[in-house]
Amino acid sequence: NAGVTQTPKFRVLKTGQSMTLLCAQDMNHEYMYWYRQDPGMGLRLIHYSVGEGTTAKGEVPDGYNVSRLKKQNFLLGLESAAPSQTSVYFCASSYTGSHSYEQYFGPGTRLTVT
Amino acid sequence: RKEVEQDPGPFNVPEGATVAFNCTYSNSASQSFFWYRQDCRKEPKLLMSVYSSGNEDGRFTAQLNRASQYISLLIRDSKLSDSATYLCVVNSGYSTLTFGKGTMLLVSP
């Protein structure tokens, strides 16, 4: 199994450009999450989804949108990129949303906004 | 007060040493506790869950003190391959987790 995959692995954007990050999981997990990780800040939750067609805001949702049209995919969109969105983005999934279940992470997308 | 606090380190130890990390959390209602490991430029991976009675997995022992709201991780007989950042993780709701900023461990020959 591939587990959780993320596309692309690296990207450089200019301020104001838009892009979509794709997360895919093949474990039939219900719950999916988008985090960003910045030096000295740790992992912070952006948005998450409790199932196909549903999304919810996390700790730092501003400037991002998400969609979960298919159970196996969770998309993170940046409509107008800003330098403050330079970060490493991790997607994760879990079997259920219960906090007792392990979250499996993708390899990350390194985004630089100039 | 930050939700999950850890000493960032780095902890520099020689091979074979025993090292311990602590973590404090602010939400007294939290019910699930974990240690994740993150290698440099890689994704976090679950190292172990932390149970109220304490639990051990090989060279790793995790303890939970609910009264004082802290979690510990003990690594015995450190290996070079243990070099990584260790993330303390606590649930922040039914479906979400809060990650500490991590403690860096460097094991030297």
Side-chain angles (χ1 to χ4, degrees):
Chain A
N1 284 345
V4 181
T5 57
Q6 292 183 232
T7 308
K9 289 184 169 54
F10 303 93
R11 186 72 186 270
V12 179
L13 286 180
K14 293 186 188 301
T15 297
Q17 288 184 320
S18 63
M19 78 164 294
T20 300
L21 283 67
L22 171 63
C23 176
Q25 52 91 7
D26 61 3
M27 297 175 282
N28 201 35
H29 284 173
E30 288 292 334
Y31 284 62
M32 297 186 75
Y33 306 83
W34 275 108
Y35 295 90
R36 61 178 288 174
Q37 187 173 39
D38 304 292
M41 295 298 295
L43 280 158
R44 291 182 292 170
L45 182 64
I46 305 171
H47 286 280
Y48 64 103
S49 168
V50 304
E52 184 178 317
T54 71
T55 63
K57 293 180 179 180
E59 179 187 355
V60 288
D62 294 342
Y64 305 95
N65 56 74
V66 287
S67 64
R68 183 100 180 269
L69 298 180
K70 293 183 179 181
K71 184 177 182 179
Q72 63 268 33
N73 296 337
F74 194 26
L75 279 63
L76 178 71
L78 286 74
E79 290 187 350
S80 180
S84 60
Q85 294 177 304
T86 293
S87 188
V88 180
Y89 292 86
F90 287 103
C91 176
S93 70
S94 66
Y95 178 62
T96 79
S98 170
H99 46 72
S100 60
Y101 281 85
E102 176 181 359
Q103 289 188 11
Y104 294 83
F105 284 80
T109 295
R110 298 183 182 280
L111 175 67
T112 302
V113 183
T114 61
Chain B
R1 179 179 174 183
K2 296 176 184 173
E3 291 195 47
V4 180
E5 294 199 53
Q6 299 181 248
D7 181 340
F11 284 60
N12 289 282
V13 302
E15 271 187 294
T18 296
V19 62
F21 310 135
N22 289 329
C23 157
T24 58
Y25 62 95
S26 60
N27 185 354
S28 59
S30 294
Q31 299 174 45
S32 293
F33 310 90
F34 310 91
W35 285 99
Y36 276 67
R37 171 192 168 127
Q38 186 172 23
D39 293 307
C40 188
R41 301 178 71 82
K42 297 286 190 180
E43 71 274 21
K45 292 183 180 179
L46 179 67
L47 177 67
M48 59 196 301
S49 300
V50 185
Y51 302 120
S52 295
S53 55
N55 49 299
E56 189 173 305
D57 183 1
R59 298 180 293 109
F60 298 85
T61 300
Q63 298 277 356
L64 169 64
N65 185 320
R66 285 188 183 272
S68 301
Q69 294 181 210
Y70 82 77
I71 307 156
S72 64
L73 176 68
L74 181 77
I75 306 175
R76 293 181 298 278
D77 189 23
S78 297
K79 311 291 185 190
L80 294 176
S81 57
D82 293 335
S83 296
T85 295
Y86 291 83
L87 308 177
C88 178
V89 185
V90 177
N91 78 287
S92 48
Y94 182 79
S95 306
T96 57
L97 300 175
T98 296
F99 288 75
K101 295 178 183 179
T103 297
M104 183 183 291
L105 172 65
L106 300 172
V107 182
S108 55

mmCIF file of all heavy atoms in Angstrom, chain A residues 34 46-49 54-57 64-68 74-77:
data_model
loop_
_atom_site.group_PDB
_atom_site.id
_atom_site.type_symbol
_atom_site.label_atom_id
_atom_site.label_comp_id
_atom_site.label_asym_id
_atom_site.label_seq_id
_atom_site.Cartn_x
_atom_site.Cartn_y
_atom_site.Cartn_z
ATOM 1 N N TRP A 34 -5.066 18.486 7.245
ATOM 2 C CA TRP A 34 -3.967 19.257 6.675
ATOM 3 C C TRP A 34 -3.298 20.057 7.790
ATOM 4 O O TRP A 34 -3.969 20.770 8.545
ATOM 5 C CB TRP A 34 -4.450 20.233 5.597
ATOM 6 C CG TRP A 34 -4.565 19.628 4.240
ATOM 7 C CD1 TRP A 34 -5.706 19.325 3.550
ATOM 8 C CD2 TRP A 34 -3.484 19.265 3.377
ATOM 9 N NE1 TRP A 34 -5.406 18.784 2.332
ATOM 10 C CE2 TRP A 34 -4.051 18.745 2.194
ATOM 11 C CE3 TRP A 34 -2.095 19.341 3.480
ATOM 12 C CZ2 TRP A 34 -3.269 18.293 1.120
ATOM 13 C CZ3 TRP A 34 -1.323 18.890 2.422
ATOM 14 C CH2 TRP A 34 -1.914 18.373 1.256
ATOM 15 N N ILE A 46 -4.663 23.037 9.926
ATOM 16 C CA ILE A 46 -5.257 24.041 9.058
ATOM 17 C C ILE A 46 -6.759 23.777 8.885
ATOM 18 O O ILE A 46 -7.607 24.605 9.220
ATOM 19 C CB ILE A 46 -4.573 24.065 7.672
ATOM 20 C CG1 ILE A 46 -3.064 24.273 7.815
ATOM 21 C CG2 ILE A 46 -5.172 25.170 6.794
ATOM 22 C CD1 ILE A 46 -2.299 24.089 6.509
ATOM 23 N N HIS A 47 -7.070 22.630 8.310
ATOM 24 C CA HIS A 47 -8.443 22.169 8.120
ATOM 25 C C HIS A 47 -8.454 20.660 8.269
ATOM 26 O O HIS A 47 -7.416 20.011 8.126
ATOM 27 C CB HIS A 47 -8.955 22.508 6.713
ATOM 28 C CG HIS A 47 -9.287 23.938 6.470
ATOM 29 N ND1 HIS A 47 -10.474 24.525 6.885
ATOM 30 C CD2 HIS A 47 -8.591 24.902 5.819
ATOM 31 C CE1 HIS A 47 -10.488 25.787 6.495
ATOM 32 N NE2 HIS A 47 -9.358 26.048 5.854
ATOM 33 N N TYR A 48 -9.630 20.122 8.519
ATOM 34 C CA TYR A 48 -9.747 18.685 8.531
ATOM 35 C C TYR A 48 -11.112 18.263 8.002
ATOM 36 O O TYR A 48 -12.004 19.103 7.799
ATOM 37 C CB TYR A 48 -9.490 18.102 9.931
ATOM 38 C CG TYR A 48 -10.466 18.498 11.003
ATOM 39 C CD1 TYR A 48 -11.462 17.615 11.442
ATOM 40 C CD2 TYR A 48 -10.387 19.736 11.632
ATOM 41 C CE1 TYR A 48 -12.335 17.958 12.448
ATOM 42 C CE2 TYR A 48 -11.259 20.095 12.630
ATOM 43 C CZ TYR A 48 -12.227 19.208 13.046
ATOM 44 O OH TYR A 48 -13.104 19.549 14.053
ATOM 45 N N SER A 49 -11.238 16.983 7.764
ATOM 46 C CA SER A 49 -12.482 16.444 7.195
ATOM 47 C C SER A 49 -12.866 15.170 7.928
ATOM 48 O O SER A 49 -12.030 14.296 8.128
ATOM 49 C CB SER A 49 -12.284 16.156 5.707
ATOM 50 O OG SER A 49 -13.360 15.402 5.200
ATOM 51 N N THR A 54 -17.444 16.675 3.713
ATOM 52 C CA THR A 54 -17.443 17.522 4.908
ATOM 53 C C THR A 54 -16.059 18.087 5.172
ATOM 54 O O THR A 54 -15.050 17.431 4.906
ATOM 55 C CB THR A 54 -17.871 16.752 6.162
ATOM 56 O OG1 THR A 54 -16.829 15.832 6.527
ATOM 57 C CG2 THR A 54 -19.144 15.972 5.932
ATOM 58 N N THR A 55 -16.000 19.315 5.693
ATOM 59 C CA THR A 55 -14.735 19.914 6.098
ATOM 60 C C THR A 55 -14.961 20.754 7.343
ATOM 61 O O THR A 55 -16.094 21.168 7.623
ATOM 62 C CB THR A 55 -14.124 20.798 4.997
ATOM 63 O OG1 THR A 55 -15.006 21.889 4.723
ATOM 64 C CG2 THR A 55 -13.860 20.011 3.720
ATOM 65 N N ALA A 56 -13.888 21.012 8.068
ATOM 66 C CA ALA A 56 -13.979 21.832 9.273
ATOM 67 C C ALA A 56 -12.679 22.611 9.436
ATOM 68 O O ALA A 56 -11.625 22.172 8.959
ATOM 69 C CB ALA A 56 -14.243 20.962 10.492
ATOM 70 N N LYS A 57 -12.774 23.745 10.114
ATOM 71 C CA LYS A 57 -11.601 24.593 10.316
ATOM 72 C C LYS A 57 -10.772 24.105 11.488
ATOM 73 O O LYS A 57 -11.303 23.632 12.492
ATOM 74 C CB LYS A 57 -12.037 26.042 10.569
ATOM 75 C CG LYS A 57 -12.684 26.706 9.374
ATOM 76 C CD LYS A 57 -13.081 28.137 9.697
ATOM 77 C CE LYS A 57 -13.712 28.803 8.481
ATOM 78 N NZ LYS A 57 -14.114 30.214 8.776
ATOM 79 N N TYR A 64 -6.650 29.610 3.344
ATOM 80 C CA TYR A 64 -6.709 28.263 2.765
ATOM 81 C C TYR A 64 -8.160 27.832 2.567
ATOM 82 O O TYR A 64 -9.033 28.205 3.347
ATOM 83 C CB TYR A 64 -6.033 27.242 3.677
ATOM 84 C CG TYR A 64 -4.615 27.561 4.049
ATOM 85 C CD1 TYR A 64 -4.332 28.224 5.244
ATOM 86 C CD2 TYR A 64 -3.556 27.195 3.228
ATOM 87 C CE1 TYR A 64 -3.031 28.520 5.606
ATOM 88 C CE2 TYR A 64 -2.242 27.478 3.581
ATOM 89 C CZ TYR A 64 -1.989 28.145 4.777
ATOM 90 O OH TYR A 64 -0.696 28.432 5.126
ATOM 91 N N ASN A 65 -8.384 27.016 1.542
ATOM 92 C CA ASN A 65 -9.671 26.348 1.406
ATOM 93 C C ASN A 65 -9.411 24.875 1.130
ATOM 94 O O ASN A 65 -8.317 24.492 0.677
ATOM 95 C CB ASN A 65 -10.509 26.976 0.286
ATOM 96 C CG ASN A 65 -9.779 26.992 -1.049
ATOM 97 O OD1 ASN A 65 -9.641 25.961 -1.696
ATOM 98 N ND2 ASN A 65 -9.285 28.149 -1.453
ATOM 99 N N VAL A 66 -10.399 24.053 1.430
ATOM 100 C CA VAL A 66 -10.234 22.613 1.269
ATOM 101 C C VAL A 66 -11.487 22.018 0.645
ATOM 102 O O VAL A 66 -12.565 22.611 0.684
ATOM 103 C CB VAL A 66 -9.968 21.894 2.615
ATOM 104 C CG1 VAL A 66 -8.561 22.179 3.124
ATOM 105 C CG2 VAL A 66 -11.005 22.274 3.651
ATOM 106 N N SER A 67 -11.301 20.846 0.064
ATOM 107 C CA SER A 67 -12.455 20.097 -0.445
ATOM 108 C C SER A 67 -12.189 18.605 -0.308
ATOM 109 O O SER A 67 -11.051 18.146 -0.456
ATOM 110 C CB SER A 67 -12.754 20.464 -1.894
ATOM 111 O OG SER A 67 -11.686 20.100 -2.727
ATOM 112 N N ARG A 68 -13.265 17.886 -0.046
ATOM 113 C CA ARG A 68 -13.183 16.421 0.110
ATOM 114 C C ARG A 68 -14.319 15.820 -0.729
ATOM 115 O O ARG A 68 -15.334 15.390 -0.224
ATOM 116 C CB ARG A 68 -13.345 16.033 1.574
ATOM 117 C CG ARG A 68 -13.189 14.535 1.821
ATOM 118 C CD ARG A 68 -11.842 14.178 2.345
ATOM 119 N NE ARG A 68 -11.699 12.749 2.574
ATOM 120 C CZ ARG A 68 -11.970 12.155 3.742
ATOM 121 N NH1 ARG A 68 -12.395 12.874 4.776
ATOM 122 N NH2 ARG A 68 -11.780 10.855 3.872
ATOM 123 N N PHE A 74 -8.083 14.612 -0.386
ATOM 124 C CA PHE A 74 -8.333 15.831 0.394
ATOM 125 C C PHE A 74 -7.458 16.913 -0.221
ATOM 126 O O PHE A 74 -6.233 16.787 -0.244
ATOM 127 C CB PHE A 74 -7.974 15.590 1.857
ATOM 128 C CG PHE A 74 -8.494 16.628 2.822
ATOM 129 C CD1 PHE A 74 -9.630 17.376 2.550
ATOM 130 C CD2 PHE A 74 -7.852 16.833 4.040
ATOM 131 C CE1 PHE A 74 -10.120 18.305 3.449
ATOM 132 C CE2 PHE A 74 -8.331 17.763 4.962
ATOM 133 C CZ PHE A 74 -9.468 18.499 4.667
ATOM 134 N N LEU A 75 -8.073 17.952 -0.764
ATOM 135 C CA LEU A 75 -7.355 19.001 -1.471
ATOM 136 C C LEU A 75 -7.228 20.244 -0.613
ATOM 137 O O LEU A 75 -8.189 20.657 0.060
ATOM 138 C CB LEU A 75 -8.084 19.370 -2.766
ATOM 139 C CG LEU A 75 -7.863 18.471 -3.981
ATOM 140 C CD1 LEU A 75 -8.351 17.059 -3.746
ATOM 141 C CD2 LEU A 75 -8.529 19.057 -5.210
ATOM 142 N N LEU A 76 -6.063 20.853 -0.647
ATOM 143 C CA LEU A 76 -5.811 22.114 0.049
ATOM 144 C C LEU A 76 -5.501 23.168 -0.989
ATOM 145 O O LEU A 76 -4.574 23.008 -1.782
ATOM 146 C CB LEU A 76 -4.633 21.977 1.015
ATOM 147 C CG LEU A 76 -4.234 23.247 1.778
ATOM 148 C CD1 LEU A 76 -5.293 23.590 2.829
ATOM 149 C CD2 LEU A 76 -2.876 23.071 2.451
ATOM 150 N N GLY A 77 -6.278 24.258 -0.980
ATOM 151 C CA GLY A 77 -6.096 25.317 -1.959
ATOM 152 C C GLY A 77 -5.596 26.604 -1.337
ATOM 153 O O GLY A 77 -5.987 26.962 -0.226
#
